[in-house]
Amino acid sequence: MNKKNFVFALSTLVLVACGGNEENTETVENTEDVVVEEVCSYSYNPDETVFTWTAFKLTDKVGVNGTFNEINVVANNGAADKFEVLSGASFSIPVGSLDSQDEVRDPKIKNSFFGVMTETTEITGKVTSIDANGGKVEITMNGVTHAYEGEVKVDEDEITFLTTIDILDFEAQASIDSLGVVCEEKHTGPDGVNKLWSDVEIAVKTTLDKSCE
């Protein structure tokens, strides 16, 4: 080998040894976004609660609708689950807040129906359980407590509870008879029968306040 070829071969060896063809080993950082789960809590809002009742008169069972303009609720505010806010909640409804959309009828119901009962100032109760499949409440009226199951409807943060109570469950036949006397004209149909049904449909709709972080 002549001197010129020897120098070329040595130069090539040095280039290979110094990694002239070394692959790029740069580390690629993981740039995947981290998802932070939103944490929310729920609270009861008395301004977003509507209580309605439907009683029935006449043999043809004609509905009479009304409400109570005041319902006081002690709920589990700040709960992580919307149903937890209402489960175990207690309530009281002042009888004086009754509103049947009839100024003549209202005092008759207050005085001749509730006025005949014992402990007439308010209706009290408790939500013993509630979830998307249904609920159960205990209602105390005329000194008697009775439990009712009902249907639950959910629309986002709005919860509606539906049930039907029977006034006779509260030993209140005297109240039905008393109201039938003062409302005889309105409760008597073409068949001449003075009729006030004992079953009353109830609907309570409330929209919970939702706070998320």
Side-chain angles (χ1 to χ4, degrees):
M1 180 185 293
N2 59 36
K3 184 176 181 180
K4 182 179 296 185
N5 290 337
F6 176 77
V7 171
F8 175 77
L10 182 62
S11 298
T12 302
L13 180 62
V14 170
L15 286 173
V16 172
C18 291
N21 294 326
E22 185 177 356
E23 294 182 0
N24 183 3
T25 59
E26 180 181 356
T27 302
V28 177
E29 295 183 1
N30 184 2
T31 59
E32 184 178 352
D33 293 336
V34 177
V35 178
V36 178
E37 186 175 353
E38 192 175 48
V39 178
C40 299
S41 63
Y42 300 87
S43 296
Y44 175 78
N45 186 344
D47 295 330
E48 295 296 332
T49 300
V50 178
F51 182 108
T52 57
W53 51 264
T54 302
F56 300 93
K57 65 180 182 179
L58 309 181
T59 303
D60 291 337
K61 207 169 187 178
V62 176
V64 176
N65 300 316
T67 187
F68 289 96
N69 293 325
E70 183 179 351
I71 175 170
N72 304 307
V73 176
V74 178
N76 305 310
N77 290 332
D81 179 84
K82 65 182 67 177
F83 295 112
E84 186 181 344
V85 176
L86 300 175
S87 183
S90 61
F91 59 86
S92 62
I93 306 170
V95 169
S97 69
L98 179 136
D99 183 0
S100 68
Q101 290 85 53
D102 188 322
E103 295 181 353
V104 175
R105 181 169 53 209
D106 285 354
K108 293 181 180 180
I109 299 175
K110 294 175 185 178
N111 298 325
S112 297
F113 182 79
F114 288 109
V116 175
M117 298 181 181
T118 61
E119 304 174 16
T120 61
T121 58
E122 61 183 9
I123 302 167
T124 61
K126 180 180 181 180
V127 181
T128 55
S129 65
I130 186 169
D131 57 30
N133 298 315
K136 182 181 288 187
V137 297
E138 290 181 350
I139 299 174
T140 300
M141 183 168 55
N142 197 32
V144 178
T145 300
H146 195 85
Y148 293 97
E149 295 183 352
E151 178 185 2
V152 172
K153 295 182 178 180
V154 181
D155 183 6
E156 296 184 349
D157 300 325
E158 180 185 277
I159 299 176
T160 302
F161 176 76
L162 305 166
T163 192
T164 299
I165 69 171
D166 190 335
I167 299 302
L168 297 182
D169 289 336
F170 302 96
E171 302 175 7
Q173 181 65 58
S175 294
I176 294 177
D177 295 341
S178 175
L179 188 60
V181 171
V182 297
C183 295
E184 181 177 7
E185 181 181 354
K186 296 293 185 179
H187 289 182
T188 303
D191 58 1
V193 177
N194 181 343
K195 180 69 174 180
L196 175 63
W197 297 77
S198 65
D199 52 323
V200 179
E201 295 178 355
I202 291 176
V204 183
K205 180 174 68 176
T206 186
T207 302
L208 302 177
D209 285 343
K210 181 178 180 181
S211 176
C212 299
E213 297 180 354

